[in-house]
Amino acid sequence: MTEAQGSTGAEHARYAPGTPCWVSLMVHGMEPTQDFYHALFGWEFQPGPQQLGAYVRALLDGREVAGVGTLPPDRRLPVAWTPYLASDDVDATAELVRLCGGTIGVGPLDAAEAGRMAIGSDPAGAVFGIWQGAAHAGMAVSGVPGTPAWNELLTFDTVGVTKFYETVFGFEAEATGPADTDRVTLRVGDRPVAGVHGLGDALPRDRGPHWTTYFEVADVDAALERVVELGGQVLSPARDGERGRVAMVSDLEGARFALVTPGGEGAEASGEGGVPTAM
């Protein structure tokens, strides 16, 4: 991935295959959701590709950071943030997903001139997207409040599912944290890009394996107060980890995400709330 680092964060020209490059949220009520995230993160919105229905891109200071779409009214799908992993060939990656025991639920299909995409799930059922950028490479900036900072997969155990992501996306997996915590960091080259946490029987049965997106904020505690004021919920209170301060929240429709204030330069996911300073 190439990037230019400045005082306003890292600007991304392209993403190396496997790197989380975008996050997207599908909801029932577009306007209330836009109001919520505008007030929380300062996002503005502009129309995006409409292949999957009404869809907008969230902008921070004029740069794209995330997407929000409308769920079909006749489909009861979970409201959740979905990370997209970069690919140079979505069709080939989608076929590899199937060969390695995963499924493809949407696509591959073109998103106008922006690129080509698919939505799949790993063998344990966690949903993720695949993005082959064209006019739209993905998230345009990171490393500043209001941008995605990290993605972590919560699953039953890391062993089998890590092999899936290594094979499909070319990640290098490294065990991190104490041996009894079952945590893995996924790397693209020498760069940490995502985490995997095996929870065993502690994984909530009503959710199953799923990805969680962390959004950077300047002050986690102040952001939690704002979430409640806006009608969201605090799911776990703020706590200090080795690399930062983290809390889990949900928005108006119950979509869960984490808030993080990174606490160190060059921080990597530590299993205690740490995230990289730039994705």
Side-chain angles (χ1 to χ4, degrees):
M1 179 178 65
T2 59
E3 63 184 40
Q5 181 75 49
S7 61
T8 56
E11 296 188 11
H12 303 283
R14 64 173 297 275
Y15 285 85
T19 309
C21 62
W22 189 246
V23 291
S24 189
L25 175 66
M26 301 297 287
V27 299
H28 299 286
M30 180 71 86
E31 290 188 12
T33 295
Q34 291 183 57
D35 291 343
F36 176 89
Y37 287 101
H38 170 73
L40 182 61
F41 294 140
W43 290 351
E44 302 292 342
F45 299 89
Q46 69 176 21
Q50 306 293 301
Q51 273 74 6
L52 299 179
Y55 190 83
V56 296
R57 291 175 182 158
L59 309 180
L60 184 67
D61 296 328
R63 293 173 291 184
E64 298 163 332
V65 294
V68 180
T70 302
L71 284 167
D74 58 340
R75 299 185 66 184
R76 289 192 169 275
L77 298 173
V79 177
W81 280 101
T82 300
Y84 280 71
L85 307 179
S87 171
D88 287 338
D89 186 335
V90 163
D91 295 81
T93 301
E95 183 59 25
L96 197 52
V97 166
R98 297 187 186 99
L99 290 173
C100 292
T103 60
I104 296 296
V106 177
L109 56 84
D110 290 326
E113 74 287 349
R116 190 162 172 81
M117 54 83 68
I119 299 175
S121 58
D122 65 30
V127 175
F128 59 89
I130 309 167
W131 181 252
Q132 179 182 341
H136 172 64
M139 187 175 63
V141 63
S142 63
V144 293
T147 62
W150 186 247
N151 289 281
E152 183 174 58
L153 172 63
L154 301 181
T155 190
F156 293 110
D157 66 82
T158 62
V159 177
V161 76
T162 296
K163 291 294 184 184
F164 169 85
Y165 287 98
E166 286 178 309
T167 302
V168 174
F169 293 102
F171 293 125
E172 295 181 7
E174 177 187 7
T176 52
D180 60 350
T181 59
D182 195 18
R183 286 183 179 269
V184 167
T185 295
L186 300 177
R187 295 175 176 269
V188 172
D190 62 354
R191 186 185 185 87
V193 297
V196 184
H197 187 190
L199 294 176
D201 292 337
L203 185 72
R205 296 290 174 174
D206 61 333
R207 299 208 67 207
H210 61 278
W211 283 91
T212 296
T213 297
Y214 290 65
F215 292 93
E216 184 173 335
V217 291
D219 183 329
V220 165
D221 297 273
L224 289 181
E225 293 182 6
R226 190 64 173 141
V227 166
V228 174
E229 291 172 357
L230 295 170
Q233 293 186 329
V234 176
L235 303 178
S236 63
R239 59 185 177 86
D240 292 316
E242 184 177 325
R243 305 299 185 188
R245 190 160 176 79
V246 180
M248 186 70 66
V249 299
S250 62
D251 65 15
L252 299 175
E253 295 196 17
R256 302 183 181 205
F257 58 99
L259 300 172
V260 59
T261 301
E265 293 297 322
E268 293 185 14
S270 66
E272 296 181 287
V275 298
T277 54
M279 206 166 78

